[in-house]
Amino acid sequence: MMTSEEWRLTWSKRAAEEAERVAAISCSGHGSAYLDGLVLDGKEPVCECNSCYEGPDCSEFVTGCAANADSGDPYFLQPFWMQHAAQSAVLVAGWHRMGYSYADGSYISAVLEEHIRQLHSTVGNAVTQGRYIVFGAGSTQLLNAAVHALSSDNSSNSSSPASVVASIPYYRLYKTQTEFFRSLDYRFEGDTSSLLNISEAGKVIEFVTSPNNPDGKLNKAVLHGPNSSAIYDRVYYWPHFTAIPNPADDDLMVFTLSKLTGHAGTRFGWAVIKNESVYQKMTEYMSSSSMGVSRDAQLRALKLINVVLETRGKQIFEFGYHTMRNRWESLSKTLSLSNRFSLQKLGPRYCTYFQKIRGPSPAYAWVKCEREEDTDCSEVLQAANVIGRSGSIFSAEDRYVRLSLIRSQDDFDILIQRLNQLVSEERQQQNHANIFLQLKKPLMSTLRRGLVY
């Protein structure tokens, strides 16, 4: 065996140098270069620029471009990982995990599972003791695996398909994915209110998003009874986005790396399950559909969660919370000057993780257009060069629009700039209207006196 003094980098040196060389490309702070990015003239990868920036090094601002507040790409955490480059880097050997399974025959890394349990215990956001854990390709795959498991576990003795519902406003994927697979075992029925008389229904599966996407509320299941089951989508239940009032102890909970560390592209998530039969059905689903999650994705997730646990989450959650809190306060300040737009109401709450009362820091702003004529809020904002997500996508009125607050700092700065301009124009119009009314009053008074005489 080699001693530490004899050991030297050999085969990994070239890969490490290549990774650092690409990571060192600055892109003027308005973009990034990637190892798997496009290569110009057979040389180094080109910069991939943030919204509203272009040029070889992303240094050219595109005047008048639209603010992108549409997607949920969690780029707000990119600066954190750049500050922790050494701890979070992963270099994988060409022969790493070439087989289909781990040594124990499973598709799940036992070490990663243990780290996930430790993570929830440290944060205090979920009970995992005595629970089963299943891995999936992000929350997307796990959500349908859960619907499959709960609908096939039909204890209501009903031959009709299970009804799948969610409370408006809800994440659109619940509807689109359920309808896409067109199973004989389940059918999407829309809003939860359509099944409030649950005694007349057969098997019912309720999606509960907590905190909710798009409005950040800590929702709870509406339907209860022997034939009802709930899938708790807890992907935003982290100290970045909400106070943690207590450990969640739901029958079936889904989490994802995407909203924990910001690595949406790694496509890794997990479900925490109480019932063994449901666990077995979800495991079977994962085995049949994809033979588990990529071993490379599990390795990266393990590395990232290790970094989180090094400081018991303190560094990443403080960074994430302060970033999101500052963005929420900035947006709230801007829209508080407007009578045309309003925000969802979120108050301070006690957080068991931070051990103090803390203000809201949601992932999204759920904006409402208050003017009677503004029936399509998305169009109103598009006219002001702001791209959001229409309320109808969440099965709500188009008088609402969702604005993403978790994208890059460039995206948020441009969003605030566009909204400040829009609110400023509104206030100017209001001032002009007030001046007109002030001038109109003496004129009308004079006219009335003339009529009297």
Side-chain angles (χ1 to χ4, degrees):
M1 180 181 292
M2 287 186 178
T3 66
S4 59
E5 292 181 359
E6 294 172 327
W7 184 82
R8 295 286 186 274
L9 287 178
T10 56
W11 57 266
S12 64
K13 186 176 181 181
R14 177 181 173 184
E17 289 175 345
E18 183 181 19
E20 289 217 31
R21 184 172 63 251
V22 173
I25 300 172
S26 73
C27 301
S28 303
H30 300 298
S32 300
Y34 300 97
L35 277 171
D36 60 352
L38 294 174
V39 177
L40 184 65
D41 298 329
K43 298 178 182 178
E44 60 187 23
V46 300
C47 288
E48 298 181 17
C49 302
N50 296 342
S51 302
C52 298
Y53 287 89
E54 62 183 20
D57 61 351
C58 303
S59 61
E60 302 170 21
F61 182 72
V62 182
T63 305
C65 82
N68 182 356
D70 181 20
S71 77
D73 291 315
Y75 290 125
F76 79 103
L77 284 171
Q78 188 177 37
F80 174 85
W81 293 109
M82 293 176 74
Q83 294 165 16
H84 295 78
Q87 301 100 305
S88 60
V90 179
L91 197 153
V92 183
W95 58 91
H96 173 76
R97 298 288 182 192
M98 293 177 66
Y100 287 110
S101 62
Y102 290 91
D104 60 359
S106 77
Y107 298 132
I108 287 181
S109 164
V111 177
L112 177 55
E113 180 183 342
E114 182 55 37
H115 276 65
I116 287 172
R117 293 182 187 275
Q118 184 182 347
L119 173 69
H120 284 301
S121 176
T122 299
V123 178
N125 67 336
V127 174
T128 61
Q129 186 176 4
R131 308 292 188 265
Y132 303 94
I133 290 182
V134 174
F135 294 171
S139 62
T140 305
Q141 188 179 31
L142 289 164
L143 291 170
N144 193 252
V147 171
H148 162 79
L150 293 172
S151 61
S152 58
D153 185 36
N154 198 334
S155 57
S156 68
N157 298 318
S158 171
S159 59
S160 60
S163 299
V164 182
V165 295
S167 294
I168 296 173
Y170 57 77
Y171 182 38
R172 188 181 190 180
L173 182 77
Y174 304 150
K175 178 179 187 291
T176 57
Q177 185 169 245
T178 303
E179 291 179 343
F180 175 81
F181 285 105
R182 298 178 183 175
S183 171
L184 296 175
D185 293 328
Y186 53 80
R187 180 175 59 224
F188 193 79
E189 296 289 358
D191 186 34
T192 307
S193 62
S194 65
L195 290 177
L196 286 181
N197 190 359
I198 195 172
S199 61
E200 298 178 4
K203 180 70 176 179
V204 179
I205 301 169
E206 180 183 359
F207 279 114
V208 183
T209 319
S210 186
N212 194 35
N213 174 7
D215 59 18
K217 295 180 180 178
L218 289 172
N219 289 342
K220 294 182 179 179
V222 174
L223 305 177
H224 302 280
N227 297 334
S228 66
S229 302
I231 300 170
Y232 271 83
D233 187 340
R234 293 279 188 182
V235 299
Y236 296 96
Y237 197 53
W238 298 103
H240 311 317
F241 305 119
T242 182
I244 307 297
N246 53 263
D249 191 19
D250 313 302
D251 288 349
L252 200 163
M253 303 176 282
V254 175
F255 297 88
T256 178
L257 196 70
S258 169
K259 300 308 184 289
L260 165 62
T261 68
H263 293 81
T266 301
R267 308 309 304 135
F268 179 79
W270 62 96
V272 181
I273 308 152
K274 279 186 182 179
N275 184 279
E276 184 178 5
S277 174
V278 173
Y279 160 73
Q280 294 290 355
K281 287 183 171 65
M282 288 185 68
T283 299
E284 180 185 11
Y285 179 99
M286 298 304 303
S287 176
S288 300
S289 64
S290 61
M291 298 184 72
V293 180
S294 159
R295 311 303 171 260
D296 294 350
Q298 293 190 51
L299 176 63
R300 192 177 194 201
L302 176 62
K303 186 69 172 178
L304 296 167
I305 291 174
N306 258 327
V307 176
V308 174
L309 288 173
E310 280 177 4
T311 60
R312 298 184 59 80
K314 186 174 186 293
Q315 289 185 347
I316 190 170
F317 292 134
E318 285 189 351
F319 177 94
Y321 169 66
H322 288 300
T323 300
M324 296 308 300
R325 177 65 182 158
N326 289 339
R327 291 184 180 188
W328 176 252
E329 287 181 341
S330 179
L331 182 72
S332 299
K333 181 179 179 181
T334 293
L335 295 188
S336 69
L337 301 175
S338 170
N339 293 318
R340 189 178 188 183
F341 306 102
S342 63
L343 280 172
Q344 75 264 41
K345 299 291 188 278
L346 297 172
R349 297 188 66 149
Y350 183 79
C351 177
T352 56
Y353 177 77
F354 287 124
Q355 295 186 334
K356 64 180 181 181
I357 295 175
R358 44 156 281 182
S361 55
Y364 307 106
W366 189 231
V367 179
K368 181 182 181 182
C369 281
E370 296 289 352
R371 289 182 183 174
E372 186 176 351
E373 64 269 24
D374 290 342
T375 56
D376 192 329
C377 204
S378 181
E379 282 191 0
V380 171
L381 292 181
Q382 282 183 34
N385 258 354
V386 173
I387 308 300
R389 192 163 290 186
S390 299
S392 57
I393 292 178
F394 303 91
S395 294
E397 299 177 48
D398 275 332
R399 190 172 292 281
Y400 291 90
V401 63
R402 190 196 78 172
L403 300 180
S404 176
L405 307 182
I406 60 177
R407 290 181 57 81
S408 72
Q409 190 61 42
D410 281 342
D411 286 313
F412 183 74
D413 290 342
I414 296 166
L415 171 64
I416 288 297
Q417 182 183 2
R418 297 283 183 267
L419 292 177
N420 279 334
Q421 183 177 352
L422 180 61
V423 172
S424 176
E425 290 172 357
E426 175 198 342
R427 289 170 63 83
Q428 286 178 8
Q429 291 172 359
Q430 186 62 50
N431 288 338
H432 290 159
N434 290 339
I435 292 171
F436 175 76
L437 287 175
Q438 292 299 319
L439 293 173
K440 185 179 178 181
K441 285 180 180 178
L443 177 61
M444 293 302 296
S445 177
T446 301
L447 289 173
R448 280 195 295 271
R449 284 198 299 271
L451 289 172
V452 171
Y453 293 138

